[in-house]
Amino acid sequence: MMNPVNSQRPDALKQAIDSLTHSLSLAQPTSQWQRISVPVVGHEMGEVQFLPLLAGGAGLRLYWANRDNTLEVAVFGSALSFKQNTTDALSECQSALADVFQDMPSARVYGGLAFSSREDDHWPGFGGGELVLPEIELVRDQAGLTLSCHFIFDGSLSSVQHQQRLIDSLQSLHCADRFPTELPQAEITDEHPGWDYWQSCAAQALDALEEGRVAKVVLSREQTLALNGPLCPWTMLSALQSLNPNTYRFAFCQADGAVFFGASPECLYQRTENQLHSEALAGTTARNGDPVQDRRLAAALLTDDKNRRENALVMRSIQEALAQCSETVDTERDIELIRLKSVQHLRQRINARLNPETTDAQLLGLLHPTPAVGGLPKAEAHELIAELEDYPRGWYAGPFGTLHAQGAEFAVALRSARLEGQTLKLYSGAGLVPGSNINAEWAELDSKLRTIQSILDIEL
């Protein structure tokens, strides 16, 4: 975890805020969207830390950092929100997004989508998904550090009032008084499914596999923790970043304080113009902290028939999906090993050159959910999941990421949690194929929950 932050606002950021405030006050009326950006200059590496700023904020906030750490974003407020009633509704807002990107070619939207369109009052406020055009956006990328705002200012009284509110929001940006915060104690109070129901669910899933109804199905688990005090999600993200730095880190904080956050190893897809990269991330074994034993577990994973079959199923499904919208699809031959704090995975990369008319709405519809989080065939696996799981997944295992005029990047929202008040819900999943062992799959669910549990010092 990072060292405590005492500064209310780094000097370099204060200068950028003042510069952006001045530019905003000079904005000329127009009916189009406007984006004003200023560089944050003269700062030392690491001086401007995003998570303490988010911890010091209020209202809607969002965090996104990609896996190779070339992009980090903090969002404060929403200039425009695209709420999704269903996970396949992105096509309905495609034209509105195109208008935004035409007015502001450098703009991005950020957010997440639900795993499925299953009716869900278990995740109040999140719904089928939400993509946000930031009101205020702080970005660290290869070009440096930039502070931006997005707005429409047409000269009307309401837009003048909004302009002043935006200036006030900029001036109120500050780090939390102290960061990271103390973590509360946590106790496991509930699970869906519990061990007994899991045995029944997994047995029914294995029957469906043997009967040929599905070739693979992924069953998940929701674990509820009761906290004895407030939990800062930004402190949790800081700890997750330290433990698993080469992951996608994400958080969506609703205006009422409910937060979905996590650190996922899995890329759904990354697109730059018509070049797309995806991956089959499936096949898992544990880590135990002993380097010798970890190497033995890794060697066993690389040669294990069940796990290699599971990875191959995912890879073929992604290839077939991309073939519907691509000129070429290529798979890198070597299977890689991805090591995280508590588990290690098999990964195989996939590259495609897309057809010129392919949209991100189409890509999300074709690729999500991959068999790594759903199963095969897709429709039949979804039906089985809905039959067997006694809770809705919400945004767990859904796409989370960013869209812009030149491309997009979405992670699969794994290794994630949802915080509401003093209740924290953790999520994990395990893929079943013919020959899967019920006890081993339960142990895999345990392994995937262990990172967040370890941050909270939960005794098992």
Side-chain angles (χ1 to χ4, degrees):
M1 203 173 290
M2 67 179 69
N3 294 326
V5 173
N6 297 309
S7 173
Q8 287 292 293
R9 185 190 292 167
D11 289 342
L13 182 60
K14 182 181 185 304
Q15 293 170 11
I17 289 171
D18 290 344
S19 176
L20 187 55
T21 298
H22 178 69
S23 297
L24 183 57
S25 68
L26 299 177
Q28 297 299 305
T30 175
S31 60
Q32 296 180 316
W33 279 100
Q34 297 186 60
R35 171 185 170 92
I36 300 177
S37 299
V38 298
V40 182
V41 297
H43 60 90
E44 297 294 329
M45 181 64 68
E47 178 189 358
V48 180
Q49 297 177 6
F50 287 26
L51 296 177
L53 282 165
L54 287 161
L60 187 148
R61 284 157 288 163
L62 186 149
Y63 180 78
W64 167 254
N66 66 5
R67 194 169 56 184
D68 57 6
N69 296 301
T70 58
L71 177 66
E72 183 183 21
V73 181
V75 170
F76 303 86
S78 169
L80 182 64
S81 174
F82 298 93
K83 290 184 180 290
Q84 310 294 303
N85 294 322
T86 63
T87 53
D88 55 2
L90 184 61
S91 57
E92 298 175 11
C93 63
Q94 198 83 36
S95 61
L97 281 169
D99 290 342
V100 169
F101 296 148
Q102 183 174 352
D103 288 350
M104 302 179 295
S106 299
R108 292 173 174 263
V109 295
Y110 307 89
L113 301 171
F115 172 76
S116 73
S117 301
R118 181 177 175 181
E119 287 294 324
D120 187 359
D121 56 5
H122 192 59
W123 284 61
F126 287 90
E130 186 171 359
L131 295 175
V132 168
L133 173 68
E135 190 169 64
I136 299 170
E137 175 191 48
L138 185 62
V139 174
R140 180 183 283 114
D141 59 17
Q142 292 169 314
L145 192 59
T146 306
L147 182 67
S148 306
C149 62
H150 305 92
F151 60 97
I152 287 181
F153 176 54
D154 60 11
S156 66
L157 177 60
S158 62
S159 69
V160 171
Q161 292 171 336
H162 176 72
Q163 181 187 37
Q164 185 55 53
R165 286 197 300 273
L166 183 52
I167 289 172
D168 292 343
S169 295
L170 272 170
Q171 290 295 328
S172 70
L173 288 181
H174 68 280
C175 292
D177 290 339
R178 192 154 183 83
F179 188 90
T181 60
E182 292 286 333
L183 295 173
Q185 293 181 330
E187 178 185 3
I188 300 170
T189 58
D190 197 12
E191 289 193 305
H192 293 279
W195 168 242
D196 291 338
Y197 188 53
W198 165 259
Q199 293 179 87
S200 172
C201 288
Q204 292 177 68
L206 289 173
D207 287 343
L209 289 160
E210 293 300 327
E211 293 164 3
R213 179 181 169 189
V214 292
K216 177 185 177 181
V217 64
V218 179
L219 297 181
S220 66
R221 178 169 154 202
E222 177 189 73
Q223 186 176 84
T224 301
L225 308 182
L227 309 169
N228 73 345
L231 174 66
C232 172
W234 317 108
T235 293
M236 290 294 292
L237 266 181
S238 174
L240 286 170
Q241 180 172 311
S242 297
L243 292 172
N244 288 319
N246 297 119
T247 56
Y248 292 98
R249 282 90 63 203
F250 56 88
F252 195 112
C253 179
Q254 302 280 0
D256 64 2
V259 191
F260 177 61
F261 67 92
S264 173
E266 184 171 356
C267 174
L268 181 63
Y269 75 90
Q270 186 272 327
R271 178 182 69 82
T272 303
E273 301 295 354
N274 72 333
Q275 299 299 312
L276 180 139
H277 306 283
S278 186
E279 64 190 22
L281 191 78
T284 303
T285 192
R287 298 189 70 186
N288 69 357
D290 178 348
V292 175
Q293 182 63 12
D294 279 351
R295 286 194 294 272
R296 288 174 181 161
L297 289 167
L301 177 63
L302 285 165
T303 58
D304 180 71
D305 177 66
K306 178 264 181 186
N307 281 292
R308 290 185 73 95
R309 281 189 292 116
E310 185 180 348
N311 188 276
L313 280 171
V314 175
M315 182 194 67
R316 283 197 298 271
S317 175
I318 296 173
Q319 285 177 308
E320 290 168 2
L322 289 174
Q324 301 177 52
C325 63
S326 303
E327 296 175 355
T328 61
V329 179
D330 300 306
T331 302
E332 296 182 11
R333 292 192 176 190
D334 293 336
I335 293 183
E336 302 173 283
L337 198 65
I338 303 301
R339 291 184 172 90
L340 302 174
K341 172 68 175 176
S342 302
V343 294
Q344 39 199 338
H345 301 290
L346 297 178
R347 178 174 73 184
Q348 196 161 8
R349 297 177 186 265
I350 301 162
N351 304 308
R353 185 168 71 245
L354 301 172
N355 296 328
E357 67 276 9
T358 301
T359 67
D360 288 296
Q362 289 176 298
L363 288 169
L364 287 167
L366 287 168
L367 292 175
H368 171 70
T370 72
V373 294
L376 278 173
K378 185 183 288 191
E380 288 78 0
H382 269 221
E383 289 175 6
L384 188 57
I385 289 169
E387 289 173 21
L388 296 178
E389 291 190 351
D390 60 346
Y391 78 99
R393 293 187 182 185
W395 287 23
Y396 164 66
F400 197 109
T402 179
L403 279 167
H404 53 99
Q406 290 78 38
E409 186 165 16
F410 283 94
V412 181
L414 305 176
R415 311 302 130 80
S416 50
R418 178 168 58 95
L419 176 65
E420 192 170 345
Q422 291 183 197
T423 300
L424 184 67
K425 295 181 182 289
L426 314 184
Y427 300 93
S428 66
L432 282 75
V433 295
S436 290
N437 179 279
I438 291 175
N439 291 347
E441 301 302 337
W442 180 262
E444 181 177 323
L445 294 171
D446 279 340
S447 295
K448 291 173 179 176
L449 295 171
R450 201 150 289 143
T451 300
I452 293 180
Q453 290 172 341
S454 69
I455 295 170
L456 295 169
D457 292 327
I458 292 176
E459 295 184 7
L460 302 175

